[in-house]
Each structure stands twice: as structure tokens, then as C-alpha cells.
Amino acid sequence: MTIKLEDITYSYDKKQVLHDINIQIPEGRLTLICGVTGSGKSTLLRLISRLDEPNSGSISSSIKDDKSAVSMVFQQPETQLFASSAHKDIEYGLEQREVSKPLRPQLIQYAMDKVGLPYELYSQRSPFLLSGGEKRRLCIAGAIAITPDLLVLDEPTAGLDPPAVRGFLQTIQELLRSGLTIVIGTHDLDSFFPIADKVVVMCQGSVHYQGAVAPLIDEPDELNAAGLEAPAYARIGRKLKLQGRLPNIPSSHESLLKELSAQPYPVPADGTHVRPAINLDSEEALTAHKAYNILPSASPDSSPISKRRARWQALDPRVKWLGMVLWTLIILGMNSPGPLLFTTGLIAVLVWSADISWRRTVVFFRPFLIMFLFLWVLSSISLHHADWQLGPLGIAYSGIIQGGLSILRVILMIALGFLFTETTTEAPLREALEWAIAPLKRLGIRTRNWSLAVSITLQFVPWILRKIVQLQLALRSRGRRKNQLKYWTPRQMSLLIVPLLILVISMGDELATAIESRGYDPTKERTPWFVLVWRRSDTLALMFILLTAAGLWLLS
Amino acid sequence: MIQAHNLSLIFQDGQLSLPVLQGIHLHIERGEWLALTGANGCGKSSLIRTFNGLLMPSAGSLTAAGLDLRSPINRKTVKERIQLVFQNPESQTIGSTPAEDIAFGLENRGIPQTEMQDRIEVLLGKVGLAQKAGDDVSTLSGGERQRLAVASCLALDAEMIIFDEVTSMLDPIGRQEIFSLARDLWKQGTTVVWVTQRMEELSESPRIAVMEEGKIIYDGDPRSLFYASPLPDKLGWDLPPVLGIGRLLQSQGWAKENLPLTESDLEGIL
């Protein structure tokens, strides 16, 4: 299928990630999207896959139901495998695309064999226990089993061992021969340039180059300006061409060797050795390896902290802890809509005053809102005191009100936590908590352990939420795109639990290792880096907290 | 630095015994650079996790930094002296800014407060992050986060740093940044174990160990591996063009010691 993107722009968190994108994906060809981290490559892949919509511009394709005709495989296989066996995992996608049951085994077997995971050996194995390379191949099998018209892959060779890369390239070539349109986002130009039909080079959110591979090989400045490097065979071939040893720059590793084998080099005389690869004393070697100090940084977002946010961050963390605890207690005691709505407005003003972006707030709250909406619906159902009848279900007015108020209370408490963690970094958060719970030491409680655990857990809430979003996106890419609500059914939610738990456990395990390796010992003395200092601004903040808390208490 | 004799590691999965490491003999000298490679699932990650006491071998003896790792106290000491940098930098960042992350290790070592800020600045400067001391770590690129992880290891005065496939998810800039940093540290005396699948990184290493199914099947210099051993072909490696040209020259009668390993070697020849 052909895809055309016209005048596309896309912004995230007030930052323009993509602008002026005009590209065409040719049918039945391999198009590479190249660019360094932060160039907008992955966002562009999501738009091409129709998993996200641009802020402006249009995306059109040669197929009417184009959303169902695209399959996407993401960079991290851990965030896109859900079922208890490889067979079931692939079958999930087929079921979502309404492939009839009798047809499924044949398609699953074909896809698994195609990616080098023999069906007999792998079909009943748990996806979570496969190696990294096997997981990636299973993801690709899931994507091709649904016989898409367009296959989109993000960094498919990252972390694969060399034989797996070779096998993968063969698979891609076979899929191209069968007429599939493929788009690959990659840094691995050595592997993909020889088989690519078209290259799009992204740089700082815009298209830096689009066209055939050959001009990029002949003139690599376009690649270098985007922070990329021409493949090794092209770099060497170019030097040889400049020396007059080759007529043209070769198009692959094989053609380079073929050209060179036709013109043997004289064997050097005995005792003439080449420069050793590892030269400890060479000044040149030392300067050559200082690249990290001179290369442009490729941070995804490095916007400076705003004045409003800085003011919040400068507050003593103890005053923020106190505010959070006090307000939480008052919110817990609120039972009528008026005070709760007033508090909602007040917290919204505080979030604004901390300069937390709307988008970031929405991303944080979205998973909670969906869950709470479900709970709200449940709380409004009544079997005996229904005010309205919806088919077999009875709906009670009191249930709607009470359920809504309970949920609003929880959301407000979460909002306080969100405000606190967004405006307090890990060290102040930990020091303040350790100070507050210090008296518990007398009871034999290891307060250092507790303060570290709480501060790290709070810091990792946004990480967990990001993983949920990634898992949701992977689920959406596997299913039909017609009915978005289908992705919030209990079954869909239950599919997320196992991979999410595995991600959290493995993250916790590595984090515990890092903490231990950094010499953490709760029984040893330490010298805190962050020193708690109470300033005049903290006294003012404390007064504000106490006054508003008293006001809210009276109001409730 | 590391002395492993007949090291074995077996994982139990219910009734099933899975041999992960089998009869490993390996000596790593202080100040050495060892590149470790092998297919996905061959036991590389398990082996390096035994070096700093994260995994206990099922059999054999293992000494790290002169300490027998059978003793729990020694394992605790070794964990600080031999540091690991993982593939995923997210799982090793404790602070929410680079300065906080480095400070965590310094705090635990009881470094006086007056010295701490100076040390943090020196360490951030060493890894090229001096301008980002107070940035939110989630805004750093992958390469920058890996460099931060290295700085946090250095805060502990690590004698040896193990890099576990740290470049596999990075773009070319990030790869170059972290590889250059590791090379600099090695030149300054830190022992480095560099785990990788990338041939270009292997060919720049003075010593390479290749693993297959829990065993070390090669331990030696890169020229012997790429130009005198059948292993690269047996393991199905796609050699980069420099080594491909080297093999071509070898077939034309060039002696092994004259063959190129890196692109700069090749420039010297061609």
C-alpha cells in the first residue's frame, strides 16, 4: 500500500516533535527512516502506523481501511507480548482482526516458521521466558501473521546477535518479494542500506533527506549532518574511490570485496607491520576517543526549568510533605460536592502555578481515569433501590453521587501526590521523609530503608505509567482500530497485568542491585548531600497551607 | 582482578536443571580490557554477574579483587569495587537529577559534605555532563544516561567496570560517547569488561573471550580470532568490511600480523 504524509506537524508537551513532514511511502518497497535519538523517528513511525494522529496535515493511503492494514513492531519486545504461549500471543492479533478460528493455526505456523521460530519447538513456550532475540522474532511473527499490507518496525536489529540479524534480513527480503510494503526505523545502516529502496533521514523533527540510497552513499554529508554515519563499506569504498582504486563506491559489503579481489595488493615485506589497533601511548588515539565531549547532544527534551517550577522546587520538602498529608486528611473528611469541587479548582491552580504541562498531567491521569470511570459505573448499579432501569440493570441516583464523590476524593489525593513528586526531586523528598519519621527509630524501625523505598517508589510511578501507555499502544497495534472502547474491556486490562508485573519486577531487581552496588547500608552512617534548610518562603508556604486547610475543613 | 577456576552455575526450573555456566576458567588482570561476546542466551550476563557477587556459582572457585566470593562480607565489598553498567540505564538511576544520582554513592561512602559538591562536578565533567547537573534525568538521551551510570560507578572508586551490552539500544552518537568514555577510563587504569555483539567493538579490543552454551570457547587476541580461528565462520558472524578486506589480503598471502583490525589500520595499508 502507498502512504502519503502531507504537511504533518506533531507537538508533545509544548515541544514541536515533527514539522513540515511531506513524504511518500512507496508500495511493495522497503523505506528506511533514519535519525538519531530525539530526531522524531519513532513518532513518525507511530503516525505512519496510524496509532497516533498529527496536530495538522494529512495522512492518506491507497487502501480504504488503512488502519486495519498496518502492523507495527516496537523497539522493546518486553512491552508487546501478552499471552501465556507463543501460539496464543499470535492468535490474539488474529482474533482481534476477526480471522476465523479454522484459519488461525495455519497462519500462526506460517508466521513462526517465517521468522525462524519452528512451530513445533516454540508454539507452546511462554513468550516471557524466551531470549531477547526470540522475543523480537515472535513480535514480528505476530505482526506478519495478520497478513498486513504495511509492516512498520522500530529498531528491529537492536540487541540481536549477528546470526539473528542475518536471519532477520533474509526474512525482510522474503517479505518484500511477497509484495509487502515495509517501513523500518533504524540506526543500523550497515545492515539495511544494501536492501533499502528509499531512505528518509530525520533531523530535529524534520525531513533532512528523502530519496534513493545511492546519493547518500556518494555524498554522506547529508547523513553526517544528521548525526549518522555512512555504512562501513561505503566509507571505505569512498576512500578507495578517491585514491583511484575503485571506479565507484560499492553498494554493499559483498560488492566492495568483489571489486577489491580483482586488484590484489602487494604483500608487504617482512617486518613491515601495520599500526596496532590498540595504541595506549598514541595522543591521536586519545583525542579520537574524546568524541563524547564534542558531539552534539541528542537529548529528547532538554527544556530549562521554568521560574514557576523553580519556585516550587526551592521550597523545603518538609513543608510540601506537611501540605500533602494535611490536605489529604481534609479531603478524606469531605462528603459533599461543593467543597470537593472547590478543592479541585484549588489543586488545579496549584498544578498551573508549578508549570506542569497539561499534556503531562493528562498522560499521568489517563490510566487512573479509565479505571475510576469503570468503578463509578459499578457503584451506580443497584439491584434493590434502582431509580432507573437500563435493561436488566438498575441505576441508583444515590450510587452515582456517592460513587462520584468517593472517586473524586481519590483523584484529588493522587493529584496532591502528583504535584508533590513533580516539584520535588528524589534527594529532598527522601531527606524530608527521613526527618519526619526519625522518631520511629526508637521503635526499631529502619527509617532510612523506609524513606528510600517511598521516595524511589514515588519517583517510579511515572515510569510505571509510561510502561502502561507502551503496553496499551502495543495492544492497539495488534487489534482492530474501529472501536477504541474495546481496548478498555476487563479482558484487555487483564492482558496488561502479567507483562506489566514482569517489567516492574525486573526493574525493581535491577534497581535493588544498583542501590546495593552504590554502597547502601542502612546500618552505616552517611553524610546527606541535600541539607534541609528552612527559609522565610517556607514559613509563608506553611501559613498558606494551614490557612487553606482550616478554610477547607470549615467548608467541609 | 578476577580469577575463576572451573566455575559452574546451574539454574533450577522446577525439576529441570539448566546449566548456565560450565567449567569456566578465566583470569582478568588488573588494568586489562576484556571484550566478552556470544549469541543471545549463551551465559554472558550470568558470568559477569558472578564477578561482583550478584550470582553465586554452583561449583568452582572465584576470586574478585583478591577476595574469595564465597564469603558474604567479601561479596558486599566486591559489589562496590566491581561495578556493572546495564543495557537499560533507566533501571540504574536512583536520583532524579545527575547530581543527586552521583551523590547517592558519595553519601553512602560518608564523603564529607564540603567535598561532595566538588567531587560531583569533577565526575560530571569527566563524563561530559557538567552542564546537566540539575536536569531531570528523564530528559537525558540514552547515551547521556549511560555516561551518568558510569559517573555514579566512579563515585564509588570502582576498580573494575563491566559494561553489559550498553551500546545495543543507542544511536551512533550514544555508542561512540560511551565506548570512548570506557576507553578513556581503561587508559587511566580501570579494568574494563566490555560485553558486546558488535564486531567493530570486538576488533578494537586487545583481548576477546567468546562464549557458547555456558562455556568459553575462545580467549585470545582479535587477530588470532578473526584471521586464524574457524570460530567466526562457525558461529555465523557477519564480519565488518575491514575484516572482510583483511581476509581477502590474507588469501593473497599477507601475514596475519599485517592484517587490519580497524578502519585506521586499513587506512595505513590502503
Side-chain angles (χ1 to χ4, degrees):
Chain A
M1 76 193 261
T2 312
I3 293 203
K4 202 172 177 184
L5 289 90
E6 289 175 290
D7 302 324
I8 297 290
T9 60
Y10 185 89
S11 299
Y12 183 85
D13 243 3
K14 295 181 190 169
K15 192 185 172 217
Q16 202 162 51
V17 182
L18 294 176
H19 51 92
D20 304 324
I21 304 287
N22 287 287
I23 55 172
Q24 193 162 351
I25 308 293
E27 186 167 4
R29 302 295 170 92
L30 170 59
T31 303
L32 295 187
I33 312 274
C34 311
V36 295
T37 310
S39 63
K41 185 168 44 92
S42 295
T43 309
L44 182 59
L45 291 177
R46 280 207 311 276
L47 293 181
I48 292 171
S49 306
R50 313 304 300 273
L51 288 167
D52 213 337
E53 291 299 325
N55 297 113
S56 66
S58 68
I59 303 173
S60 55
S61 86
S62 56
I63 288 183
K64 198 179 164 196
D65 185 12
D66 57 356
K67 289 188 181 181
S68 304
V70 186
S71 247
M72 179 164 179
V73 179
F74 300 87
Q75 190 175 352
Q76 288 175 315
E78 291 77 15
T79 58
Q80 50 198 318
L81 295 169
F82 304 96
S84 58
S85 74
H87 178 100
K88 285 183 186 163
D89 201 81
I90 300 176
E91 191 176 26
Y92 171 78
L94 294 171
E95 185 196 326
Q96 292 296 305
R97 308 270 175 151
E98 292 178 343
V99 174
S100 68
K101 253 190 172 174
L103 275 175
R104 291 179 200 166
Q106 195 186 342
L107 287 168
I108 295 168
Q109 187 161 357
Y110 163 81
M112 289 187 71
D113 289 344
K114 194 97 179 163
V115 298
L117 294 175
Y119 184 80
E120 297 72 28
L121 291 178
Y122 285 90
S123 63
Q124 296 313 312
R125 288 183 63 180
S126 164
F128 308 112
L129 298 178
L130 298 176
S131 73
E134 288 166 341
K135 278 181 190 163
R136 194 176 294 277
R137 278 185 271 171
L138 180 59
C139 293
I140 296 169
I144 60 175
I146 57 165
T147 56
D149 292 290
L150 171 66
L151 178 63
V152 180
L153 306 162
D154 194 2
E155 294 294 350
T157 52
L160 290 188
D161 56 39
V165 171
R166 195 194 299 165
F168 175 75
L169 291 175
Q170 283 167 0
T171 307
I172 291 295
Q173 283 172 296
E174 280 175 37
L175 292 169
L176 284 169
R177 278 196 288 276
S178 68
L180 187 62
T181 307
I182 303 178
V183 178
I184 294 180
T186 188
H187 312 128
D188 185 4
L189 307 189
D190 285 75
S191 296
F192 290 107
F193 259 29
I195 59 168
D197 298 294
K198 181 174 181 176
V199 181
V200 176
V201 179
M202 297 293 296
C203 184
Q204 295 180 342
S206 67
V207 174
H208 189 67
Y209 170 89
Q210 66 171 317
V213 179
L216 279 179
I217 298 282
D218 288 338
E219 197 39 75
D221 287 353
E222 300 277 8
L223 281 174
N224 299 341
L228 298 166
E229 213 178 16
Y233 66 81
R235 288 198 304 268
I236 296 167
R238 186 176 162 76
K239 283 176 191 158
L240 290 170
K241 190 190 167 195
L242 287 173
Q243 288 174 6
R245 290 183 183 272
L246 292 181
N248 296 306
I249 299 173
S251 59
S252 69
H253 179 181
E254 289 72 27
S255 60
L256 169 68
L257 294 183
K258 199 176 164 191
E259 293 267 3
L260 282 178
S261 62
Q263 38 177 309
Y265 276 82
V267 177
D270 281 351
T272 327
H273 287 200
V274 294
R275 212 155 34 137
I278 310 299
N279 187 349
L280 274 174
D281 308 321
S282 156
E283 192 53 40
E284 187 193 336
L286 275 171
T287 49
H289 287 121
K290 288 283 182 194
Y292 57 88
N293 281 333
I294 52 165
L295 284 166
S297 165
S299 302
D301 178 14
S302 52
S303 49
I305 297 169
S306 73
K307 274 187 186 167
R308 277 190 280 160
R309 178 75 67 91
R311 225 173 282 143
W312 268 88
Q313 284 191 342
L315 283 177
D316 189 299
R318 287 170 292 185
V319 81
K320 288 187 265 183
W321 267 118
L322 182 77
M324 190 176 81
V325 173
L326 208 56
W327 277 42
T328 301
L329 290 172
I330 288 166
I331 288 167
L332 276 173
M334 287 182 172
N335 284 312
S336 45
L340 274 168
L341 289 172
F342 180 72
T343 313
T344 308
L346 210 52
I347 290 176
V349 170
L350 291 178
V351 169
W352 171 83
S353 72
D355 198 30
I356 302 168
S357 80
W358 172 241
R359 177 99 188 202
R360 196 173 168 92
T361 312
V362 168
V363 167
F364 181 86
F365 278 99
R366 196 163 45 194
F368 294 111
L369 291 176
I370 299 291
M371 186 173 71
F372 289 143
L373 190 66
F374 179 67
L375 290 175
W376 196 8
V377 172
L378 275 187
S379 64
S380 65
I381 296 170
S382 173
L383 297 176
H384 307 294
H385 307 288
D387 296 304
W388 305 283
Q389 230 24 71
L390 274 178
L393 287 179
I395 306 290
Y397 176 74
S398 59
I400 293 176
I401 296 296
Q402 284 312 314
L405 291 180
S406 301
I407 285 162
L408 186 57
R409 268 200 297 268
V410 179
I411 289 176
L412 290 180
M413 287 189 286
I414 293 173
L416 286 175
F418 171 67
L419 180 64
F420 183 33
T421 51
E422 283 289 307
T423 57
T424 317
T425 57
E426 191 269 341
L429 200 147
R430 178 161 46 96
E431 293 302 339
L433 182 60
E434 196 166 339
W435 174 86
I437 61 172
L440 297 177
K441 262 188 199 168
R442 288 183 201 149
L443 302 173
I445 292 170
R446 288 193 164 167
T447 52
R448 266 181 76 189
N449 280 352
W450 278 99
S451 59
L452 180 65
V454 171
S455 64
I456 286 191
T457 308
L458 286 175
Q459 291 296 322
F460 275 90
V461 170
W463 178 87
I464 293 169
L465 294 172
R466 272 203 310 279
K467 290 293 159 195
I468 293 175
V469 170
Q470 285 175 7
L471 288 164
Q472 283 284 2
L473 197 67
L475 268 183
R476 275 174 56 201
S477 78
R478 303 272 293 273
R480 289 173 305 160
R481 318 286 167 75
K482 287 172 189 165
N483 185 357
Q484 294 289 323
L485 276 180
K486 267 199 87 140
Y487 300 103
W488 298 104
T489 61
R491 187 190 166 201
Q492 301 284 350
M493 300 298 277
S494 70
L495 278 171
L496 298 181
I497 289 170
V498 174
L500 184 65
L501 276 177
I502 289 173
L503 285 168
V504 170
I505 289 168
S506 111
M507 176 73 160
D509 187 39
E510 289 195 350
L511 204 56
T513 304
I515 289 170
E516 207 184 336
S517 305
R518 305 269 184 93
Y520 178 74
D521 184 347
T523 59
K524 262 181 17 189
E525 275 304 307
R526 71 175 179 112
T527 48
W529 172 67
F530 181 85
V531 183
L532 296 165
V533 182
W534 192 269
R535 297 183 184 87
R536 195 168 154 264
S537 55
D538 299 310
T539 310
L540 289 173
L542 179 66
M543 284 166 66
F544 171 78
I545 289 167
L546 293 175
L547 283 172
T548 48
L552 290 173
W553 182 67
L554 287 172
L555 199 68
S556 64
Chain B
M1 192 73 202
I2 298 284
Q3 296 203 316
H5 294 282
N6 207 19
L7 207 69
S8 297
L9 178 66
I10 295 168
F11 283 163
Q12 286 297 134
D13 183 7
Q15 298 291 312
L16 213 63
S17 292
L18 302 166
V20 181
L21 299 175
Q22 303 179 62
I24 301 274
H25 288 279
L26 188 69
H27 290 218
I28 304 172
E29 298 297 329
R30 208 171 275 273
E32 211 178 351
W33 173 294
L34 172 78
L36 184 63
T37 192
N40 298 130
C42 70
K44 301 185 296 286
S45 294
S46 301
L47 178 62
I48 56 172
R49 277 163 177 72
T50 63
F51 292 166
N52 75 341
L54 284 175
L55 284 176
M56 271 296 285
S58 312
S61 72
L62 180 63
T63 311
L67 300 166
D68 186 341
L69 292 189
R70 275 173 295 197
S71 145
I73 295 169
N74 287 349
R75 284 204 295 278
K76 202 172 172 59
T77 312
V78 161
K79 271 177 196 157
E80 290 176 33
R81 286 159 74 175
I82 299 180
Q83 293 281 325
L84 255 167
V85 180
F86 299 111
Q87 193 181 69
N88 177 11
E90 278 187 329
S91 60
Q92 52 200 326
T93 317
I94 296 160
S96 37
T97 66
E100 280 184 5
D101 197 59
I102 296 174
F104 184 76
L106 296 174
E107 281 180 347
N108 293 329
R109 288 185 63 201
I111 303 293
Q113 240 157 28
T114 45
E115 266 184 50
M116 227 184 263
Q117 195 55 41
D118 289 343
R119 286 211 189 196
I120 290 170
E121 281 170 22
V122 168
L123 287 165
L124 285 172
K126 208 167 182 169
V127 299
L129 291 175
Q131 304 301 316
K132 305 211 166 192
D135 285 13
D136 183 344
V137 285
S138 67
T139 66
L140 302 183
S141 69
E144 286 170 342
R145 282 188 87 157
Q146 293 287 29
R147 283 189 276 142
L148 172 61
V150 174
S152 299
C153 294
L154 294 175
L156 275 297
D157 286 338
E159 294 165 34
M160 173 169 159
I161 302 182
I162 304 170
F163 296 86
D164 188 6
E165 296 201 39
V166 291
T167 57
S168 64
M169 297 292 180
L170 300 181
D171 63 25
I173 293 176
R175 279 206 299 268
Q176 205 178 342
E177 286 173 349
I178 189 76
F179 192 69
S180 303
L181 175 59
R183 290 291 292 256
D184 278 357
L185 295 174
W186 173 57
K187 281 166 190 157
Q188 289 155 18
T190 307
T191 311
V192 171
V193 173
W194 184 266
V195 183
T196 187
Q197 301 278 4
R198 303 183 67 83
M199 295 294 131
E200 297 83 356
E201 290 165 8
L202 285 182
S203 62
E204 286 207 43
S205 302
R207 181 181 169 196
I208 301 171
V210 183
M211 288 188 71
E212 189 184 40
E213 293 176 357
K215 295 176 190 155
I216 290 182
I217 55 169
Y218 178 87
D219 184 358
D221 68 285
R223 262 198 188 86
S224 302
L225 173 64
F226 292 117
Y227 295 125
S229 161
L231 267 181
D233 296 329
K234 189 186 150 222
L235 296 173
W237 290 354
D238 277 329
L239 297 183
V242 171
L243 299 174
I245 293 172
R247 285 189 164 195
L248 188 70
L249 295 174
Q250 192 176 27
S251 71
Q252 291 167 2
W254 285 50
K256 190 180 84 181
E257 52 276 13
N258 287 335
L259 298 172
L261 286 171
T262 64
E263 282 187 43
S264 58
D265 287 350
L266 193 65
E267 268 182 50
I269 294 171
L270 305 182

